[in-house]
Amino acid sequence: MKLWLKYVLGIILGIASVFIIPLDSPQAAAILDFLTEIFTRFGRYALLPVLFFGAGIAVFKLRDGGFMALSAFWIFVTLVLSSAILAALGTVGAILVKLPPLPISAERSISEVSISVKDLVMRVFPQSPFSALLEGTFLLPCFVFGGAVGGACATDKTASKQAVGVLESFSCVAYSMLCFFSDMMTIGIMALSCRWAINFSSVLKAGVYMPLIVMLTVNLLLVAFVLYPLLLRLVCHDPRPYKVLYASLCPFLTGFFTGDTNLTLLLSMRHGKDSLGIRRRMNAVSFPIYSIFARGGSALVTSICFVTILRTYSYLEIGFSTTLWIGVMSFLLSFVLCSFSTGGPFIALTIMCTMYGRGFASGFLLLRPASAIICAYAAGLDALSAMFGSYIIAVKTGTIEHRATKQFI
């Protein structure tokens, strides 16, 4: 049975269990919270070994083969362009399509949320490099440490021959562990999708968020079925761009029903290698970088939500300068959400409201009841960006062995 089909069955069972679980029971809620937390930790368990050893051997092979500069160029270009396009799409779409205003809440924010770039840099380079392996959800320090080890091995291949063999061996073992944990997560996805269904049902009961959800759904379909396949056809001249969408099913479903970019990375790396045929030297680099930095889906969702908040508080037309500010800020903030594997779009929305001021500092509270669903759409879009972007990078750098769709896992 295909892996994505196992996940679909798990999601269906998880959503169906909502009609069986007594939601008003504190014991049932406590058990569901425990299962959600334990399976989330279970899914992340294999990530750090794969990141460290995979990045180490990948950087070594890229430097040794002379592909480092070319790979860095295409990663940078695709990452920035995908985030810019999605930020622009969300901003322009929200301006053109006027959603009905939300009910104004009397609740006021009592604390400010901010992201310190200085602190992020300090966490990437801790006092001891081994502390990078202790980070739980922030994957960049581990990735940088592994890449530094691989780069050092490439400077003297004779002296590092045994070290490279160790990296290669442990990289294979870590990937096997990743495959095992991704298979077992077909059970965990039931609890996670059950929690998603509970959140979604509460949003549906509120009723006021349906126009926003419809708009997010339309944007998701537009990106998945039109924008990204068209870009793939233009850039790679691929006659079958929808095969990448097919390979993205499992990562997308995981991102959409968990809202967790780290869990999504687990599935993206596996499908990138075993379905699309992206070689390990690129698979172990492009997907982590996309998961950490490429949050174009978060930029799209944040811009739409911010415009909705503006129109709720004011009936004035949104001018060009404000439109430009929304697009640029949502784009820039998407790159500093790297330490948040969940909830990043709502944090970005909170910061935008605070920065904009003018009585809108507490505007993000209007969308707090729907924050889990909003972040789910962002995580799903980010998963699609990672799959399509990594495929383009692999094609342009020649680090791919194309496979027929019947060979996809």
Side-chain angles (χ1 to χ4, degrees):
M1 183 183 292
K2 298 290 187 180
L3 186 61
W4 69 267
L5 188 55
K6 294 179 183 179
Y7 272 74
V8 169
L9 291 175
I11 290 169
I12 292 174
L13 291 175
I15 295 175
S17 64
V18 173
F19 302 98
I20 303 173
I21 297 175
L23 300 179
D24 56 346
S25 169
Q27 292 80 8
I31 292 173
L32 181 59
D33 289 339
F34 169 76
L35 291 176
T36 301
E37 179 65 22
I38 196 66
F39 280 120
T40 299
R41 296 188 178 203
F42 179 85
R44 295 172 177 171
Y45 200 77
L47 271 180
L48 289 183
V50 170
L51 248 64
F52 178 76
F53 294 110
I57 195 64
V59 170
F60 171 80
K61 289 185 175 180
L62 288 175
R63 285 197 63 183
D64 186 44
F67 289 102
M68 180 62 75
L70 181 63
S71 301
F73 170 78
W74 279 108
I75 288 174
F76 176 80
V77 169
T78 57
L79 190 151
V80 172
L81 282 181
S82 64
S83 297
I85 290 171
L86 292 188
L89 177 65
T91 304
V92 174
I95 295 294
L96 295 178
V97 180
K98 295 184 178 181
L99 297 179
L102 300 171
I104 296 179
S105 171
E107 187 177 2
R108 290 291 180 268
S109 175
I110 58 176
S111 61
E112 291 188 359
V113 178
S114 62
I115 298 177
S116 173
V117 177
K118 176 183 176 181
D119 291 343
L120 287 177
V121 175
M122 292 296 182
R123 290 175 63 186
V124 174
F125 300 99
Q127 296 288 351
S128 167
F130 295 101
S131 299
L133 303 178
L134 303 179
E135 285 280 359
T137 58
F138 189 25
L139 304 179
L140 185 57
C142 178
F143 179 79
V144 170
F145 184 28
V149 171
C153 289
T155 58
D156 190 343
K157 290 183 287 185
T158 302
S160 63
K161 185 176 181 180
Q162 292 180 334
V164 171
V166 171
L167 284 175
E168 179 77 39
S169 179
F170 272 106
S171 175
C172 294
V173 171
Y175 185 79
S176 297
M177 189 169 67
L178 178 144
C179 294
F180 170 77
F181 277 89
S182 61
D183 283 332
M184 292 298 102
M185 271 301 294
T186 56
I187 300 173
I189 199 68
M190 289 190 289
L192 296 167
S193 59
C194 180
R195 169 57 64 193
W196 178 92
I198 292 173
N199 292 331
F200 189 72
S201 62
S202 64
V203 171
L204 286 180
K205 289 178 182 178
V208 297
Y209 301 109
M210 280 308 300
L212 176 61
I213 291 176
V214 170
M215 185 169 187
L216 291 176
T217 303
V218 170
N219 278 272
L220 172 62
L221 296 175
L222 180 64
V223 170
F225 290 96
V226 180
L227 180 60
Y228 278 166
L230 181 61
L231 287 175
L232 198 63
R233 187 68 182 269
L234 294 174
V235 176
C236 299
H237 308 289
D238 197 315
R240 295 182 300 157
Y242 287 100
K243 69 179 181 181
V244 181
L245 185 61
Y246 176 52
S248 306
L249 274 176
C250 212
F252 168 76
L253 291 173
T254 303
F256 188 77
F257 285 97
T258 66
D260 194 316
T261 57
N262 287 357
L263 289 181
T264 306
L265 177 59
L266 188 78
L267 276 302
S268 297
M269 293 183 71
R270 185 174 181 188
H271 277 274
K273 179 180 180 295
D274 295 339
S275 293
L276 294 178
I278 301 175
R279 294 177 181 173
R280 277 195 305 159
R281 68 187 67 180
M282 185 55 64
N283 189 74
V285 171
S286 63
F287 282 109
I289 291 178
Y290 257 87
S291 177
I292 294 168
F293 290 112
R295 303 289 184 88
S298 301
L300 182 146
V301 168
T302 302
S303 59
I304 292 175
C305 292
F306 187 79
V307 172
T308 303
I309 292 171
L310 280 185
R311 288 204 167 120
T312 296
Y313 283 100
S314 174
Y315 292 100
L316 298 176
E317 289 295 327
I318 300 176
F320 175 77
S321 59
T322 303
T323 302
L324 183 62
W325 183 87
I326 295 171
V328 171
M329 287 308 303
S330 60
F331 169 74
L332 294 177
L333 285 173
S334 68
F335 291 99
V336 294
L337 299 177
C338 48
S339 63
F340 301 99
S341 62
T342 58
F346 192 70
I347 293 171
L349 181 65
T350 303
I351 295 173
M352 283 186 67
C353 290
T354 304
M355 293 178 64
Y356 190 75
R358 308 175 197 178
F360 295 93
S362 300
F364 65 93
L365 295 174
L366 300 179
L367 292 170
R368 187 162 65 177
S371 60
I373 303 302
I374 290 171
C375 293
Y377 277 92
L381 284 164
D382 290 338
L384 293 176
S385 297
M387 292 298 290
F388 277 90
S390 295
Y391 181 81
I392 292 174
I393 294 166
V395 170
K396 290 300 182 180
T397 56
T399 54
I400 189 170
E401 297 175 358
H402 294 281
R403 298 180 179 179
T405 53
K406 63 181 180 180
Q407 296 178 308
F408 288 12
I409 60 173

